[in-house]
Amino acid sequence: MRVGTWHLLADWAAGQGEDDGNEVLAGKVCRPAIPVLLFVALGSWVGCAAAYLALEPASQSVCIACCALACAGVAACAFALMRLPAARAVGCVLGVCCGVASSAVHAASLVSDQAYVEQAGSLELAVMLLEDAHASTFGASCSARVVTQEGRAVTVRAYLPADADLPCWSMFQAHATLKPAGEANAHALWMDGCAGTVSFGSIEKVQPQGLVGAMVSLRRAALALYLERDSDGAVLLESMAFAHRERLFSSSLYGDVKAAGLAHVVAVSGAHLAAVAAFCMLLSRLLRLPRAVALAVQVVLLGCYLLLTGAPLSAVRAAVMVFCTVGAFYASRRAWPVNALALCIFAFCILWPTASMSLSFALSALATLSILVFARYFAWWVDAAFGHRLCALADVCGMTLAAQLGSMPVAVGTFGILSLVGMPASIVAMPACALLCVGGILGGVLSVIAPSPASLVVQGMVEAADACCVAIRWLAHLPFACIGVSWDVALTGCVALVGAVSLYLAWPRPSPARARLVLSGCVLAGAALVFAMPLLHAHELVMLDVGQGDAFVLRSGAQTMLVDTGTNDVDVVKGLARHDVREIDLLVVTHPDDDHCGSLEAVAACVPVRQVAVARDLLTCPCDQCASLRSRLAAFEVVGLAQGDELRWGGFSAQVLSPRTFVDEGGNRDSVVLLVGVDCDGDGQDDWSALMCGDAEADTLASLAHSGLLRPVDILKVGHHGSKASLDEEVLGALDPDIALVSVGAANRYGHPAPNVIELLEEAQVAVTRTDEL
């Protein structure tokens, strides 16, 4: 028996032996051996991520001290490996220490860069973009490496001109000012490994030379064939083969892709690359290609993928991980794929500590690991569940199930969306994904060397992708195709880890009866989550924390009205899920500002919306903002509201107080104002009341008070996030609320809520609840 250091080295160098893989012996799947190197890799991942988060506010001296302690731990673990038989436990601790040391070194360097940025000021910079620029709140942005005239290189977040056409690895010279991180974006920049920000009013492009220049030119020429086609299929292929997702993010297709549980297909991760690799391996077996030729095909394919995506770091990580894992499959030892994956995880975490916090890295690594450990075992269960009648599909189902369950804790916890059709959709989509991705890559390469055949190939691929998009949209619009869930990533990850370890240790043998029992249990649990939980709620008014925006739930049992959606998709979806909102009877958009309706499509993708209500004049207002909202409402049943209208749902009633007519082209003075009452005991009398103001401020509310429309309420939703003009003594005296709700983002750039408003409420002894202090 091999122990200690020899065990670690022998596991990597020679594998666990021919019989330690996922082999089917005597009608069962043998449990795969887990090598020591995997424990080291997972430990490094955990240690790297934990240390990187913990060291965010630390000084450089603290980082150095942490690194020294971690290095001492590495030495102690190395000594223990030579002495103790518990190689896996010690290996895990060794990995943690390595990860902590790596993060501490990176954090110390980043702190030094932050100090330099604070003092740098305005400089002449040579800039290289490290990824494609993508749309953000303040324009197009991406990570970039800037080099000053004195040779100091710093990674920053670059904000580019709106019309800049700059793909990954573009280089240019510019005169700009490096700015340190502010309170609002400090955490986001730290997570990206950026020491600050830089903005460019104008830029002077520099044509990249050599391999980078050739890659940029190839990608631009290949992508042009797809950009000139205005169809869902072209948009899908751009995302899959070129990692170009600007058109996807601005189209309704992306919401449908997420609702169908297929977001991994359009992401820069190892998920669809693994499908492509599996397709090529199957094809090479059918053609009886020699092992060396098959491996060469894989290398060429992955290389072309990197060229066409522009080789951002996320694509490089995914390609290397898939290549190492697939390459190990061609080796004679069956333990090598897990070892290869473990080595990739370890190397990425040690060399690039920010990778430990990357969503795409986590999804790639977890999905691949789950496939290697559980795919054949899940295929065994699928085969048993259907009485051995699906032998041909069992392996595909097993691989899809393993990948989905492996990545689900992170994906669902991050996005707050659980697709109930994701599993069958993935089983069907992964073969199609492989064909489309290979075809898209082929069309891109041919566009440079043979333009005429390339156009035919691209047209054929686009038409095939259009058919896939039709299927995706159909799946996404099935009743309850997806639901919102409010799962904490850390807690969900721990539960998933315990479940995976328990399953691995128990490794129960499936039987048709047992498999069907598990399937029935999953179906019943899903039905309870969707249909039973909403019935447990009574009469509620809930202020959802969506940052700098509004979103309020008013529900009576299963009947729900949502007032505004905010603009943070994940937060509003998770908030609705946290309160078991599975259907919205009426969604009121108080006015067309983005912080009140920006997440309209995201809400509708996860929660069926029966009707949307807006101010009646908004349906005819010619201003650009109202016209834009009307175009977004084309897919909904829309009703117009005006002063005097009344709404009823469950025990709630709401009277529309404003607007009577538009006076501000849909601006704050035209916000829908609702006076809400709720009869909890059914005696015909309101038990409590609330005023929902949208962004209406004191002048609008004062005119309502003078008209006799305002009366005392129990709850006041303070207008316009508590701006300095949102409330005055006259309005507060007319309303006399007991509770004030202020929906506002932490450290927002508007200074909301204004100190004078909070002081006014506190002097009136009104209890103030703010989302930035929850």
Side-chain angles (χ1 to χ4, degrees):
M1 179 171 157
R2 296 167 296 183
V3 297
T5 304
W6 291 110
H7 194 164
L8 179 65
L9 296 176
D11 276 353
W12 168 245
Q16 294 291 336
E18 292 291 337
D19 295 330
D20 287 333
N22 270 330
E23 287 299 291
V24 180
L25 299 175
K28 78 172 197 174
V29 175
C30 295
R31 180 168 49 197
I34 303 298
V36 176
L37 188 59
L38 181 62
F39 287 84
V40 177
L42 295 180
S44 69
W45 191 355
V46 172
C48 197
Y52 195 71
L53 286 172
L55 292 172
E56 180 177 351
S59 64
Q60 196 169 16
S61 58
V62 171
C63 296
I64 294 173
C66 183
C67 179
L69 290 174
C71 289
V74 171
C77 290
F79 179 78
L81 278 172
M82 293 186 290
R83 300 286 182 176
L84 300 175
R88 287 175 171 80
V90 178
C92 188
V93 178
L94 171 64
V96 170
C97 292
C98 290
V100 171
S102 175
S103 280
V105 170
H106 184 82
S109 175
L110 186 54
V111 170
S112 174
D113 287 345
Q114 288 175 335
Y116 176 79
V117 168
E118 288 181 0
Q119 304 296 326
S122 182
L123 298 167
E124 289 292 334
L125 301 174
V127 185
M128 173 179 281
L129 305 186
L130 301 179
E131 58 184 349
D132 285 346
H134 57 273
S136 69
T137 305
F138 304 104
S141 68
C142 64
S143 297
R145 191 75 169 166
V146 299
V147 181
T148 66
Q149 288 182 320
E150 61 189 44
R152 181 69 181 261
V154 182
T155 300
V156 295
R157 170 65 55 179
Y159 294 99
L160 305 170
D163 58 348
D165 180 19
L166 297 171
C168 181
W169 305 119
S170 293
M171 295 185 293
F172 56 89
Q173 301 283 343
H175 184 85
T177 302
L178 294 175
K179 300 177 182 179
E183 184 179 357
N185 65 351
H187 177 70
L189 292 177
W190 179 272
M191 297 296 285
D192 288 339
C194 296
T197 65
V198 62
S199 300
F200 305 101
S202 61
I203 57 176
E204 178 185 346
K205 292 185 182 179
V206 175
Q207 182 63 34
Q209 301 298 317
L211 179 60
V212 173
M215 180 172 60
V216 171
S217 298
L218 170 65
R219 186 181 186 225
R220 193 185 302 273
L223 190 56
L225 286 177
Y226 294 89
L227 290 174
E228 66 186 20
R229 289 169 167 82
D230 186 17
S231 71
D232 284 344
V235 171
L236 184 65
L237 285 169
E238 289 168 28
S239 306
M240 293 169 53
F242 299 90
H244 185 271
R245 298 187 297 279
E246 293 304 310
R247 289 208 295 173
L248 177 69
F249 289 158
S250 62
S251 73
S252 61
L253 178 63
Y254 188 51
D256 290 338
V257 167
K258 291 192 292 184
L262 298 174
H264 57 282
V265 170
V266 296
V268 180
S269 70
H272 64 287
L273 278 186
V276 171
F279 170 78
C280 291
M281 290 177 68
L282 177 61
L283 188 60
S284 65
R285 287 183 180 180
L286 292 175
L287 297 177
R288 300 184 182 276
L289 296 178
R291 181 177 298 178
V293 175
L295 184 59
V297 170
Q298 299 277 26
V299 172
V300 171
L301 188 67
L302 291 175
C304 291
Y305 175 79
L306 286 177
L307 287 174
L308 294 176
T309 58
L313 294 178
S314 55
V316 172
R317 286 198 300 261
V320 170
M321 191 175 298
V322 171
F323 171 73
C324 290
T325 306
V326 170
F329 271 113
Y330 289 100
S332 58
R333 299 288 184 176
R334 294 184 179 89
W336 280 21
V338 178
N339 274 311
L341 175 64
L343 184 61
C344 286
I345 293 173
F346 181 79
F348 283 129
C349 289
I350 298 303
L351 297 176
W352 296 284
T354 52
S356 65
M357 307 302 299
S358 167
L359 177 62
S360 63
F361 175 76
L363 295 177
S364 295
L366 293 174
T368 306
L369 178 60
S370 185
I371 287 172
L372 293 177
V373 176
F374 291 112
R376 292 292 298 277
Y377 179 65
F378 288 157
W380 187 25
W381 274 84
V382 171
D383 190 39
F386 292 94
H388 308 290
R389 291 188 293 270
L390 290 180
C391 295
L393 294 176
D395 283 341
V396 175
C397 294
M399 178 174 152
T400 303
L401 187 61
Q404 290 272 310
L405 294 180
S407 59
M408 184 182 293
V410 174
V412 174
T414 301
F415 298 116
I417 299 175
L418 175 62
S419 175
L420 301 182
V421 299
M423 199 68 66
S426 292
I427 291 172
V428 175
M430 291 315 286
C433 163
L435 288 170
L436 291 175
C437 199
V438 170
I441 293 172
L442 178 61
V445 174
L446 285 176
S447 66
V448 178
I449 60 178
S452 296
S455 182
L456 295 176
V457 171
V458 169
Q459 185 59 37
M461 288 297 101
V462 168
E463 290 179 1
D466 282 334
C468 288
C469 291
V470 171
I472 290 172
R473 289 190 182 278
W474 179 80
L475 285 169
H477 289 87
L478 289 174
F480 300 105
C482 71
I483 59 173
V485 293
S486 181
W487 294 354
D488 179 74
V489 175
L491 179 59
T492 305
C494 290
V495 172
L497 177 62
V498 171
V501 171
S502 301
L503 180 62
Y504 177 81
L505 295 176
W507 209 254
R509 185 186 181 99
S511 65
R514 187 179 297 173
R516 290 164 190 159
L517 180 63
V518 171
L519 181 61
S520 300
C522 292
V523 172
L524 289 175
L529 185 67
V530 173
F531 300 110
M533 294 300 293
L535 299 178
L536 302 179
H537 294 262
H539 302 90
E540 301 172 344
L541 190 162
V542 182
M543 177 173 60
L544 302 181
D545 182 5
V546 293
Q548 186 67 16
D550 274 8
F552 290 83
V553 174
L554 296 94
R555 71 183 306 164
S556 179
Q559 293 182 288
T560 303
M561 182 170 81
L562 177 67
V563 179
D564 292 327
T565 69
T567 189
N568 190 317
D569 294 353
V570 174
D571 284 349
V572 70
V573 168
K574 283 189 173 183
L576 293 172
R578 190 160 48 248
H579 297 280
D580 301 312
V581 176
R582 302 297 177 215
E583 189 172 35
I584 296 173
D585 297 279
L586 182 66
L587 194 162
V588 177
V589 176
T590 57
H591 70 300
D593 281 0
D594 194 53
D595 60 335
H596 290 256
C597 62
S599 294
L600 176 65
E601 290 83 2
V603 169
C606 296
V607 185
V609 177
R610 291 188 176 182
Q611 279 187 328
V612 176
V614 296
R616 188 173 300 163
D617 284 0
L618 186 146
L619 299 177
T620 56
C621 179
C623 75
D624 292 341
Q625 199 171 23
C626 290
S628 175
L629 179 56
R630 284 199 301 272
S631 67
R632 295 169 58 195
L633 293 174
F636 299 92
E637 180 183 342
V638 181
V639 296
L641 301 177
Q643 188 181 84
D645 290 343
E646 189 169 353
L647 307 170
R648 290 189 177 276
W649 67 104
F652 279 88
S653 63
Q655 182 183 356
V656 180
L657 302 186
S658 181
R660 185 173 61 184
T661 59
F662 265 19
V663 295
D664 194 21
E665 291 190 326
N668 292 347
R669 288 185 293 167
D670 293 332
S671 286
V672 173
V673 178
L674 299 174
L675 180 60
V676 178
V678 59
D679 179 10
C680 298
D681 52 17
D683 63 356
Q685 300 295 321
D686 289 343
D687 295 292
W688 54 267
S689 59
L691 186 70
M692 311 299 296
C693 301
D695 270 358
E697 295 181 316
D699 56 349
T700 301
L701 299 181
S703 66
L704 295 176
H706 295 157
S707 302
L709 294 177
L710 289 190
R711 61 178 174 82
V713 294
D714 299 290
I715 300 171
L716 168 65
K717 183 273 168 186
V718 179
H720 200 194
H721 320 289
S723 70
K724 62 182 180 181
S726 63
L727 202 60
D728 59 24
E729 291 185 7
E730 179 188 359
V731 171
L732 185 59
L735 294 173
D736 191 25
D738 297 318
I739 300 171
L741 304 179
V742 184
S743 184
V744 63
N748 66 85
R749 59 194 177 107
Y750 307 102
H752 296 159
N756 68 296
V757 172
I758 299 301
E759 183 179 348
L760 185 64
L761 290 167
E762 290 176 346
E763 288 177 353
Q765 297 184 336
V766 179
V768 179
T769 299
R770 302 162 46 172
T771 52
D772 62 337
E773 294 182 350
L774 292 177

